[in-house]
Amino acid sequence: MKFAFGHSLTTSISTLRFPYLHHSFTNSPWFSCKRKTFMSQFSSNSTSLSSSSVRNFSSTASDDSMALPKTPKQQQQHPWLIVGLGNPGKKYSGTRHNVGFGMLDALADAEGISMSSVNFRALFGKGFIGNVPVMLAKPQTFMNASGESVGAIVSYYKIPLKQVLVIFDDLDLPFGKLRLLPKGGHGGQNGMRNIIDHFKGNRDFPRLRIGIGRPPGKMDAVNYVLRPFNKQEREELDFTFHRGVEAIRILVLEGFDKSATFVNSAKSIELT
């Protein structure tokens, strides 16, 4: 058995170093004599070499393990998912129904988060707010099917619903006013309705509502939410987005209560 092992070992070595001379060289009388001498020396030294190596390795491993600091096992930190609702395409850009998109764009710009990738049927971006990981998503499914995108993201990343913030427009709030709530219904907003359906009826997730006011006169609500903002409204909306970005930072870094106090205590913006 020893000879067979030595033969395969030396054959492998010589094949690697002298591939073209291997056959004639290894079959020569000189090589056979040298191989017997080598195997005799190898047999007498192998036992002491092996035991010494094992003792040295065991000692080193033991010493290294003693030197390593004992740290508690860190728990995996789930990211926040922050979703802005709206409709895709230039036709709907800058309309009242897309203020969720607008708020998310303002947040991405403020935090330096790129949203150039498309995943889960959404414009998607990953980054940090402070040291907290966040994911930003603008579903491209059209408003009424927003849950198809949001539900897939939550399911894939196993995000707790308490860390899913949905931002959307609200007809029942005065223009420019923000309202942060820990949970609730859809309030007639079809995007929220669809998200709740994909969460199997679970409504226990925070939402940031952005007031767009009621339609004037007898204007139909559908036409109103798809109407763009005028110049003065856009200027005031910029202020709303600024406050909203700050509210989201507080929510992620300091918790819901502090963020809700910051947002909900603000006075409504009055159009002049």
Side-chain angles (χ1 to χ4, degrees):
M1 292 300 292
K2 292 181 180 179
F3 181 83
F5 172 77
H7 177 67
S8 62
L9 174 65
T10 52
T11 300
S12 300
I13 295 173
S14 62
T15 302
L16 289 173
R17 298 186 63 182
F18 308 104
Y20 299 105
L21 300 178
H22 170 65
H23 180 72
S24 59
F25 178 73
T26 56
N27 290 330
S28 67
W30 180 88
F31 182 81
S32 298
C33 179
K34 291 296 182 181
R35 183 170 59 191
K36 291 179 180 179
T37 303
F38 168 77
M39 291 309 300
S40 176
Q41 294 174 347
F42 177 82
S43 299
S44 62
N45 295 333
S46 60
T47 304
S48 60
L49 176 63
S50 300
S51 59
S52 174
S53 299
V54 170
R55 284 197 301 272
N56 289 339
F57 176 79
S58 301
S59 175
T60 303
S62 178
D63 291 343
D64 289 344
S65 63
M66 291 294 289
L68 291 174
K70 296 182 179 180
T71 57
K73 185 177 180 181
Q74 294 182 348
Q75 293 183 348
Q76 183 179 2
Q77 185 178 16
H78 289 286
W80 272 83
L81 173 61
I82 304 172
V83 180
L85 299 188
N87 287 308
K90 293 182 179 180
K91 177 181 177 181
Y92 302 101
S93 179
T95 61
R96 298 170 190 275
H97 217 24
N98 275 33
V99 291
F101 278 8
M103 179 70 80
L104 211 66
D105 288 338
L107 177 64
D109 184 63
E111 299 297 335
I113 299 174
S114 172
M115 297 193 66
S116 57
S117 63
V118 178
N119 288 301
F120 305 98
R121 301 180 69 185
L123 286 175
F124 195 74
K126 293 182 179 180
F128 289 86
I129 296 178
N131 62 347
V132 178
V134 297
M135 296 186 294
L136 311 184
K138 297 194 298 183
Q140 302 295 290
T141 56
F142 286 94
M143 179 70 79
N144 293 357
S146 298
E148 296 177 11
S149 172
V150 179
I153 298 171
V154 169
S155 176
Y156 183 83
Y157 288 103
K158 297 179 173 58
I159 304 173
L161 291 191
K162 66 180 181 179
Q163 289 182 209
V164 178
L165 175 68
V166 182
I167 307 166
F168 62 99
D169 59 294
D170 194 328
L171 285 165
D172 294 325
L173 283 177
F175 180 83
K177 182 174 178 59
L178 297 173
R179 181 66 57 81
L180 180 64
L181 298 173
K183 58 184 179 179
H186 52 72
Q189 217 275 3
N190 288 329
M192 283 293 289
R193 189 197 307 271
N194 193 250
I195 289 173
I196 291 172
D197 288 344
H198 278 79
F199 287 169
K200 299 180 180 180
N202 195 327
R203 304 178 178 189
D204 296 339
F205 58 94
R207 67 282 314 277
L208 181 62
R209 297 158 55 191
I210 305 175
I212 59 172
R214 300 297 304 179
K218 295 182 180 181
M219 179 182 287
D220 181 69
V222 174
N223 293 330
Y224 177 70
V225 298
L226 298 179
R227 191 172 74 169
F229 299 105
N230 60 39
K231 182 180 178 180
Q232 181 179 356
E233 288 172 333
R234 286 197 302 270
E235 291 175 353
E236 300 203 30
L237 199 59
D238 286 342
F239 177 77
T240 298
F241 288 163
H242 177 77
R243 284 191 59 81
V245 167
E246 186 60 27
I248 295 169
R249 286 173 175 159
I250 296 172
L251 173 65
V252 170
L253 297 174
E254 301 184 57
F256 179 87
D257 291 341
K258 286 189 176 181
S259 183
T261 300
F262 172 80
V263 173
N264 300 337
S265 61
K267 294 182 179 180
S268 302
I269 299 174
E270 298 293 340
L271 294 177
T272 59

